[in-house]
């Protein structure tokens, strides 16, 4: 399998398969949302779009980065989300990097969203798909986020069936700039357990697939739960 690791700005064309990685915290949060019962996640292009979608669908919940904000129901924190009852709900998610990365590859035939908590399920789906070429989109820090790159490289190795010790990759994520910012309270809308939850390898048995539905990019668990 031919693998490429690119930042969002480096994407020149739609690859055949894209794995969009955001460990801290968009796609850890998305996995938790599904674990808490969410039916689907709509990935919004802007805060205004997220609020407009919620206004059009009053039963939907809106989620964003940062501190609680009027109009938004949830913040982008796994520690805060894990106590939410999302049974059957639709969540509209807008984040700084993760959702941007997905929208950048919306023309790609197969788009997966990934983090450590769904790493093995993501690798398993890639093995099943048997793609010759996979592009991993490293969303954080203009493609330089160590936690996202570490996760992408780990999944890439598992996708070809290589026996891989996750400890090195998790250490890189644990000592990343993003982890430090979360731990030190630089980022708002956080919970003290966020970093630990983002590093919980294979916490969930499903991958996450994004695709176009009624002109929206919608994320769902695969297989469905």
């Amino acid at each position: 399998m031919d693998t490429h690791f690119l930042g969002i700005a480096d994407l020149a064309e739609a690859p055949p398969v894209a794995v969009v990685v955001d460990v801290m915290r968009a796609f850890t949060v998305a996995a938790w949302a599904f674990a808490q019962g969410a039916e689907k996640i709509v990935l919004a292009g802007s805060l205004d779009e997220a609020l407009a979608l919620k206004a059009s669908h009053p039963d939907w919940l809106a989620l964003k980065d940062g501190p609680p904000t009027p109009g938004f129901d949830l913040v982008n924190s796994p520690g805060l989300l894990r106590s939410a009852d999302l049974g059957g709900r639709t969540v509209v998610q807008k984040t700084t990097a993760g959702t941007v990365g997905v929208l950048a590859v919306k023309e790609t035939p197969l788009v997966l969203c990934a983090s450590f908590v769904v790493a093995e399920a993501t690798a398993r789906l890639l093995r099943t798909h048997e793609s010759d070429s996979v592009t991993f989109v490293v969303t954080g820090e203009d493609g330089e986020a160590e936690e996202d790159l570490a996760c992408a490289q780990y999944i890439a190795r598992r996708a070809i069936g290589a026996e891989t010790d996750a400890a090195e990759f998790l250490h890189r994520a644990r000592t990343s700039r993003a982890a430090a910012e979360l731990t030190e309270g630089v980022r708002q809308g956080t919970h003290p357990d966020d970093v630990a939850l983002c590093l919980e390898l294979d916490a969930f048995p499903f991958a996450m697939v994004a695709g176009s539905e009624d002109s929206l990019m919608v994320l769902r668990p695969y297989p469905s739960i």
Side-chain angles (χ1 to χ4, degrees), residues 1-2 5 63 80 101 120 122 131 135-136 140 146 191 199-200 210 216 219:
M1 184 177 71
D2 187 19
F5 303 91
L63 180 155
L80 295 173
E120 188 59 32
T122 303
S131 175
T135 294
F136 290 85
E146 187 64 19
H191 186 279
L199 300 178
E200 197 170 70
L216 299 172
L219 186 63

Side-chain angles (χ1 to χ4, degrees), residues 15-98:
V17 177
V19 181
V20 186
V21 182
D22 190 329
V23 172
M24 298 184 185
R25 294 162 285 169
F27 299 138
T28 299
V29 165
W32 268 100
F34 290 130
Q36 294 303 105
E39 177 184 351
K40 63 183 180 183
I41 297 174
V42 177
L43 304 171
S46 67
L47 296 177
D48 287 343
E49 182 187 359
L51 291 176
L53 286 168
K54 181 186 172 183
S56 300
H57 305 82
D59 58 327
W60 289 9
L61 301 171
L63 180 155
K64 63 176 282 292
D65 276 331
T69 303
F72 285 86
D73 309 280
L74 306 164
V75 295
N76 192 43
S77 160
L80 295 173
L81 194 71
R82 63 183 168 177
S83 60
D85 180 4
L86 303 179
R89 305 297 292 273
T90 294
V91 175
V92 181
Q93 185 181 35
K94 169 65 181 86
T95 67
T96 304

Side-chain angles (χ1 to χ4, degrees), residues 6 10 16 35 53 73 87 90 104 128 133 162 187 210:
L6 300 176
D10 300 319
L53 286 168
D73 309 280
T90 294
T128 301
S133 178
R187 303 187 185 188

Side-chain angles (χ1 to χ4, degrees), residues 162-181:
E163 290 297 327
T164 305
D165 185 355
E168 170 199 344
F169 300 91
L170 291 169
H171 175 74
R172 288 165 56 191
R174 186 177 296 110
T175 56
S176 67
R177 174 181 172 182
E181 289 180 350

